[in-house]
Amino acid sequence: MPETICLDASVVAKLFLPEPGSEDAERLFQRALDTGIVLVAPTLLVVEVMSVFRKQARRGHLTLEQAGAAARSLLDLPIEEVAGREIHERAWRLAGDLDLPVVYDAMYLAVAEARGAVLWTADRLLFDKAMQTGYVRFLGRDPLGMS
């Protein structure tokens, strides 16, 4: 069975926006593509990242055309969307167990756990709260040489 990586919205958004960590996100994504690693995320990934594009356009950092093009490109990424009642239930429990402020961050953890994947994030709060799980990595700080 191929290795699996779960990407959260903070990493995927960096594939489209020039910001700190974008090069690390591109390297991680390209390594996954080059080596056949399966990419997964909860279905909410698309809405979360599209919301980032929309916010960037409203702030004048992207034109509406650029944001729309990024949204269309996002839909073409080879990321398997994972959903299901069991993911939602596990996310709810993880949010409580790890004292996460929002359940949607726990969705990424639940998907990673369910698929035996490593979760990659650029969200410092999520990483700090979830690092005890042993399957969360912070973008740009990788002892395994992935970033």
Side-chain angles (χ1 to χ4, degrees), residues 78-114:
I79 299 174
E80 178 187 338
E81 296 180 57
V82 180
R85 181 183 180 107
E86 60 282 350
I87 297 294
H88 292 98
E89 290 174 348
R90 182 62 180 141
W92 178 257
R93 289 192 307 277
L94 282 165
D97 292 349
L98 299 173
D99 191 32
L100 294 171
V102 293
V103 176
Y104 58 78
D105 282 345
M107 290 288 291
Y108 294 95
L109 294 165
V111 166
E113 190 177 88

Side-chain angles (χ1 to χ4, degrees), residues 125-136:
L125 177 63
L126 174 59
F127 176 76
D128 288 346
K129 294 264 187 185
M131 62 190 263
Q132 68 192 16
T133 66
Y135 58 85
V136 180

Side-chain angles (χ1 to χ4, degrees), residues 8-9 42-53 104-105 108:
D8 82 351
T43 56
L44 66 91
L45 171 82
V46 172
V47 172
E48 266 198 286
V49 177
M50 282 184 175
S51 294
V52 170
F53 299 155
Y104 58 78
D105 282 345
Y108 294 95

